[in-house]
Amino acid sequence: MVNSDRPYTVDDNVRFINSTVNSVYELVALIPGSDIIMNYLKESYQHDPFRVVLELFLVFFAIKYMLAKRYKPNDNSEINELVEEWHPEPLVPALSSFDRMNLEKTPVIIGPQSAKPKVAGHTKPLLNLATTNYINLVSSEQIKEKAISTLRNYGVGSCGPPGFYGTIDVHMDLEKDIARFLGTDECIIYAQGFSTISSVIPAFSKRGDLLVVDEGVNFAVQKGVQISRSNVRWFKHNDIEDLERVLEEIRVDDLVHKKRLTRRFIVTEGLFANYGDIAPLSKIVELKIKYKYRLILDESQSIGVLGKRGAGLTDLFNVNPTQVDMIIGSMSTTLCSSGGFCAGSNEIIDHQRLSGSAYCYSASIPAMLAVSASEALKIIQLQPSILTELSERMQSVRQTLKHKSMEPLIDIHSPEMDSPAPFLHIRAKSSFLKLHLKGEENEVSREDEERLLQDVVDECAYQGVLVTRAKYVIDQERHCPKPSIKIYATTGLTKKETEKAASVVKAAIIKVFGKWRRA
Amino acid sequence: MTTIESNSPSSKLAVPSANGSDGKATGGRARAFSLSTIMAGRARRSYSVSSAYPPNSNPSLYLSPPRSSGDHTFSINADIPLPYPPGSSSLSDVTKLQQFSSLSVSVAQRRNSTAALRRKYEDLEQKLEATPLWVLVSTYLNYLILILYGHLRDILGKVFKRDEYAHLRTHDGYAPLVSDFDSFYTRRLYMRIRETDFVNSKNSMASSDCWNRPITGVASRTVKLLDRTSDDFNKTFSLSGTTTEAVNFASYNYLGFAQSVGECADAVEETVKTLGACSSSPRSEAGGSSLHRQLEGKVAQFVGKPAAIVVSMGFATNSTTIPTLVRKGCLIISDELNHSSIIFGARLSGASIRVFKHNNMDSLKLLLQEVISQGQPRTHRPWKKIMVIVEGLYSMEGSIVNLPALVQLRKQFGFYLYVDEAHSIGALGERGGGVCDFYGISPSHVDILMGTFTKSFGAAGGYIAATKDIIDYLRLKNHSFAYAESITPPVAQQILTSITIIRGDDGTNEGRKRIQQLADNSIYFAARLREMGFIVYGDEGSPVIPLLVFNPAKIPAFSRELLQRKIAICVVGYPATPIITARARFCVSASHTRKDLDYALEHISEIGDTLMLKVSRAARKKLE
């Protein structure tokens, strides 16, 4: 019995298993595409059974992982302890005595800003050599009238970004006025001069693009360069040969590594806010064309003062403005309004209307300020003679300060007598500072130098002249320029007054520098 | 989102403790991928903590009516008849709360009142309603067709019209200024929406593109649009010389101070006459005047902080202040929907940046636990400072920050809190003092209060208010102070006078009236839109009311139809919003009359029917 039964049982079981496997197989075969997998499995089993085992194991593990419960630590005591242990630094550090001095010595103007403003702490009005009120538009009655009539039609604020009903007709007029004045196709206006270039640069130059930047550019440009996250190469301040060297290096490098062509820009400043010198535009334009770069030019300081018409660097060097791809300027300097602009071709301006973050995400400038800027442009265009007057004032300031007795004491930036720049920096000569080293010092600290200059500023104010040290956010500048006193010329003061003011500055320097560290 | 319950009247600030839903929400760091997150219907986002929510079986539906009547402290004028049948709407509670908002109560008293103690974000919150499935599908299809069609045009255009596509190619050794890929959206989607409707321009209708509409005059209750036409499918526009006056639901003129007449304008005129229109130097050099000092004092007083500074541009207020407060080794924790200026400033600062889910305090708490316990990446040294940056009122969502919970978290974790009140200052709170005033929380619980003058004050620029130490430091280190022009006298005067009016320092009730009118208008408008069946975002009391239109094709349709009916609105689509939730945004103002609102509502309802926008299931449920 046993013998006859056994094969029967086995056969039965096999049949059962076979039929089950078959029906499952048929079911699987019903799924479209499953035959590919089956064939694959069959073949791979024959070729490499070990791999099938491994794959099955992986599938099993993946399913187990997905179905597993999330890991939750039962008690947070460790985390809580860490949280409790953590003590942040104070939000701001305590102010040093130098900081306190800076705060206290910042002048506060009482009443209107003008060529002879009243300043808190002084009974008499001071002669103002500290503001960009170059052609005295601050006191222009014409602009005031225009501003008031605009106020009565448009109110003050625009209550919206340009995209959402913040584009007022006077904005469009101002854009046209500036474009016509500079000779470019179009122009776009921003609500603050400082924020303009730091928004224009990242609108065009993205990660992977290349910026070749002058080392002496102002803070706003530095921030624009930083936020663009592009590759940056710096060239020596106003050194054309160094610029060419950098461009040549990049060209060779591109050839060697066969790099993809990316957007490339040269970034520089027209009239350098930190040094008072002027970029050699015609040579830069030559290089830019030769190496096929686009040129971004910050003319915040030069618009309205440089060139015969006051149209900035392109006017001064007689360069066709369309050869400079982007001219960025400020309406808060010469034009005595507020805001900034970028002028260029249609393509460049149109792109910014969607990509310039300070344009898109900020309210447009108040209508009255736009109109003031338009009016200021008109005044400059109608009376270009004030620009000659301005350069005369500056020359008399230079003449006074370049006196022989001053030579061992100070450096003047920039020193050329015929420079059209309407302001200059006075910096203590390093040879003078070295003479007065104390004890073990290797060099005079920045703070001491600033204090020295502040003493000059105080002395000037005491004698009736308002000047100011150039202010920087020292720890955030790339290479902070040496401390300086910034002197601005203005046509608001007569020639005589300007000469008098300059000689006060001169006398103050001699007096303060003479006394310094003798005690 | 989970609704956090915390009804215990004894809790000090009545802050819903962010650990309210303990156990569930306070798990460790979420696993990168787990089946249960998919099951619960949440797609993981790019932030490491966002999937760590307790699964919620009933997410994102309409909020039930508030649990107690004392929760709303909005004051409603009794003489304006409420449009709701009493008892049927959640707003019927509002009538009851007039007893809480008596004008005679002082600020301090109000802050400590029962109403303030019981005010919770959860009661103001309007849950974001989920998009109905068929709308979701049709919207994606809509985009798919647009994109396919755009690519087709690109391909054909590049073959047959080479000249028109020259700017996308490398030419003459210059790389294209905008890359083909980057500009695809602008060229093929944005431009189409902006495109002038052909029939309309033939009929010399009002110009009907949807963005950058130029205007003239004051953007107050109404706005005068300059009509323009385009002959080249709106690459360029030309002005036709005529104007169209439309009711203005687009400008951020919350308190109606955009005026060319009245007390503010008179004061500004006087200032221009005496002080001129410019200050021509940075604040740190010689551009600071006694007017600035006076303004800063007034602003500090208004927001309830010891000191303040003012900056000449709202955008720059953020972008030039944040880098001076934090630096490398510090951490910025930012709401995912924060404004571009905050992102700009955060990037400049060099600090690490982490993001939490919009207004979600559970997400923030988990993130805080993670970052504090883990420290800086790689080195694991403790962070030098952690600064949480949020906005008071989000201009795209209309949501109000959950400040009570944030303040609680600040106490627990010791981070610094930076609140951007660009939209909320003036517009929220019983005396217009922003979110702190709105919740009755002392401003001392917030480290830095930032705001702008562009919106409620009808001026320009922005402020930072904080303790005197912080402000003194900022006076020295803020980029705008050292390098940028200072606020001009006319703008400063406009702010001064408008704050004087809002505070009631001029001895009139004008400011209080405006604030009440605004609160009335916003609550009324949003409630009516919800009633009609639209999907409306925005928390209760928000003057910004986004109405979802979803499909990209409906964006221009909605905007143009409304403009034809003389109503000016903003429409916003991707990339300013998520791709699916394109929206129309209404900014309600105190200068709107009830008649204006009703006029607009009537037409919106009509257009909503035509465009099939009334898709809210919550509203339908309510009707049944």
Side-chain angles (χ1 to χ4, degrees), chain A residues 65 86 89 91 109 113 132 152 157 159 163 165 167 169 192 226 263 292 294 339 351 363 471 473 477, chain B residues 31 172 177 212-213 215-216 252 266 269 279 284 288 290 312 348 383-385 416 454 458 483 485 569:
Chain A
Y65 179 83
W86 179 70
E89 284 179 9
L91 189 52
I109 290 174
Q113 178 71 270
T132 54
R152 289 305 179 184
C159 279
Y165 305 87
T167 311
D169 47 3
Q192 191 195 45
Q226 183 195 338
R263 285 174 285 257
K292 302 204 185 298
R294 293 187 172 93
H351 180 65
K471 298 285 174 70
V473 180
E477 286 265 359
Chain B
R31 174 167 295 162
D172 196 21
L177 204 54
N212 287 64
R213 288 174 179 158
I215 65 163
T216 183
Y252 308 126
D266 294 344
E269 181 174 337
S279 39
S284 298
S290 47
S312 54
L348 272 185
W383 296 101
K384 288 177 181 153
K385 301 173 211 171
Y416 297 110
T454 328
Y483 305 100
E485 67 259 31
I569 60 153

Side-chain angles (χ1 to χ4, degrees), chain A residues 65-73 76 79-80 82-83 86 88-93 95 99-100 102-103 106-113 130-133 138 144 147-148 151-165 167-169 172 191-195 198 204 219 223 226-227 229 261-265 288-289 292-294 332 336-339 347-348 351 354 357-359 361-363 366 368-369 372 466 468-473 475-477 488, chain B residues 26 28 31 33-36 51-52 167 170 172-179 186 190 211-218 225-226 239 250-253 258-261 265-266 268-269 272-281 283-286 288-290 312-313 315-316 320 323-325 327 339-340 344 347-348 369 372-373 382-386 413-414 416 448 454-455 458-460 470 472-473 475-477 479-480 482-485 488 490-491 494 568-571 585:
Chain A
Y65 179 83
M66 279 191 229
L67 292 178
K69 275 187 185 166
R70 266 189 262 153
Y71 166 74
K72 275 185 200 160
N76 281 328
I79 289 177
N80 288 342
L82 285 167
V83 167
W86 179 70
E89 284 179 9
L91 189 52
V92 295
L95 295 185
D99 290 337
R100 291 256 161 245
N102 268 331
L103 272 181
T106 306
V108 177
I109 290 174
I110 292 169
Q113 178 71 270
T131 61
T132 54
N133 177 26
V138 153
K144 282 185 197 169
I148 289 171
L151 166 75
R152 289 305 179 184
N153 285 322
Y154 295 87
V156 179
S158 60
C159 279
F164 296 149
Y165 305 87
T167 311
I168 309 177
D169 47 3
M172 303 191 328
Q192 191 195 45
F194 177 76
S195 295
S198 52
F204 292 98
F219 191 73
K223 290 292 129 181
Q226 183 195 338
I227 204 160
R229 300 175 175 191
L261 181 66
T262 54
R263 285 174 285 257
R264 299 178 299 185
F265 302 87
K288 156 215 138 115
I289 292 172
K292 302 204 185 298
Y293 279 67
R294 293 187 172 93
S332 64
C336 279
S337 166
S338 185
E347 193 192 352
I348 281 179
H351 180 65
L354 263 188
S357 48
Y359 178 81
Y361 298 105
S362 155
M368 30 190 322
L369 296 176
S372 308
L466 179 65
T468 173
R469 277 182 301 131
K471 298 285 174 70
Y472 307 100
V473 180
D475 45 354
Q476 299 212 14
E477 286 265 359
Y488 299 86
Chain B
T26 47
R31 174 167 295 162
F33 179 79
S34 105
L35 203 61
S36 51
S51 62
H167 66 283
T170 301
D172 196 21
Y174 288 93
L177 204 54
V178 284
S179 79
T186 319
Y190 171 79
W211 288 301
N212 287 64
R213 288 174 179 158
I215 65 163
T216 183
V218 195
L225 302 170
L226 299 175
L239 296 176
S251 298
Y252 308 126
N253 178 26
Q259 288 171 312
S260 56
V261 289
D266 294 344
V268 172
E269 181 174 337
V272 174
K273 275 183 191 155
T274 54
L275 300 184
C278 170
S279 39
S280 64
S281 182
R283 283 292 295 281
S284 298
E285 292 185 356
S289 68
S290 47
S312 54
M313 179 193 191
F315 186 94
T320 63
T324 59
L325 291 173
R327 55 179 197 284
H339 189 250
S340 157
F344 198 99
R347 278 195 196 163
L348 272 185
Q369 283 178 337
I372 295 178
S373 58
W383 296 101
K384 288 177 181 153
K385 301 173 211 171
I386 294 178
F413 290 94
Y416 297 110
I448 307 257
T454 328
K455 282 97 187 179
I470 297 176
D472 279 349
Y473 182 78
R475 277 182 203 280
L476 293 166
K477 304 283 179 180
H479 306 167
S480 288
Y483 305 100
E485 67 259 31
T488 55
V491 175
Q494 165 83 15
I569 60 153
C570 299
V571 283
R585 202 177 54 166

Side-chain angles (χ1 to χ4, degrees), chain A residues 382-393:
Chain A
L382 285 178
Q383 322 170 321
S385 60
I386 31 178
L387 295 179
T388 355
E389 252 179 75
L390 176 67
S391 67
E392 274 172 27
R393 300 280 190 286

